[in-house]
Amino acid sequence: RLANETVPGNLAIKDDLWVSGTLHVNEVIYEKTFVPGTQSDYRLKEGIVPVSQSLEKVLAITPVTFNWKPEAEKKGHDIGFIAQEVQKACPEVVVEDRKGYLTVDYAKLVTVLFGAVQELHSRISKLEENGS
């Protein structure tokens, strides 16, 4: 997904559609296929701080099922989250487009889930140590 970004070089949008030069994106481009990997090397990062209160964030987000409205790009019955609720708990994973619609970057939620699992593991380990 790209939003308000500039992509230099060549970009394959489909097998038969290429952009050569620089692509300026002012809206959100939604992925229709899996994109393998995201740059994550520590040498490219600064101000690194562990995500805190991951379990609290996960518990603040309600998984829902719903039906898409006719004006939505997607159709039919689906499962997911309400972006406004996710934004309150974890604003780093929500992007707003120029029309004001919110999009959840579900892949980034994995980081929060990992933190929540680690918090639960720590709590369980303490309980086991205390014989409870």
Side-chain angles (χ1 to χ4, degrees):
R1 186 190 73 209
L2 302 172
N4 298 316
E5 296 185 31
T6 299
V7 179
N10 297 322
L11 175 67
I13 297 174
K14 286 188 173 183
D15 291 337
D16 58 345
L17 176 60
W18 282 81
V19 175
S20 184
T22 301
L23 171 65
H24 300 278
V25 179
N26 294 318
E27 289 285 344
V28 175
I29 296 176
Y30 300 96
E31 297 173 8
K32 298 292 183 190
T33 58
F34 176 74
V35 177
T38 299
Q39 216 172 29
S40 194
D41 193 299
Y42 80 96
R43 295 172 294 179
L44 300 172
K45 301 174 182 183
E46 59 186 12
I48 299 169
V49 178
V51 176
S52 62
Q53 300 175 316
S54 295
L55 183 57
E56 183 179 311
K57 291 174 183 176
V58 168
L59 294 174
I61 302 170
T62 306
V64 297
T65 62
F66 56 91
N67 296 311
W68 290 102
K69 290 184 174 182
E71 63 269 21
E73 284 184 10
K74 295 184 177 185
K75 304 294 178 213
H77 191 71
D78 212 340
I79 188 169
F81 302 110
I82 303 301
Q84 287 79 354
E85 190 175 88
V86 175
Q87 188 178 43
K88 287 178 187 174
C90 199
E92 301 89 344
V93 305
V94 177
V95 175
E96 184 176 345
D97 68 17
R98 289 195 307 173
K99 295 177 184 175
Y101 290 108
L102 300 180
T103 301
V104 175
D105 186 341
Y106 283 86
K108 286 186 177 182
L109 282 176
V110 171
T111 303
V112 180
L113 291 172
F114 262 80
V117 169
Q118 290 170 347
E119 287 178 27
L120 288 172
H121 174 73
S122 177
R123 290 180 185 186
I124 291 168
S125 294
K126 287 177 185 175
L127 288 172
E128 289 176 342
E129 287 173 11
N130 294 331
S132 298

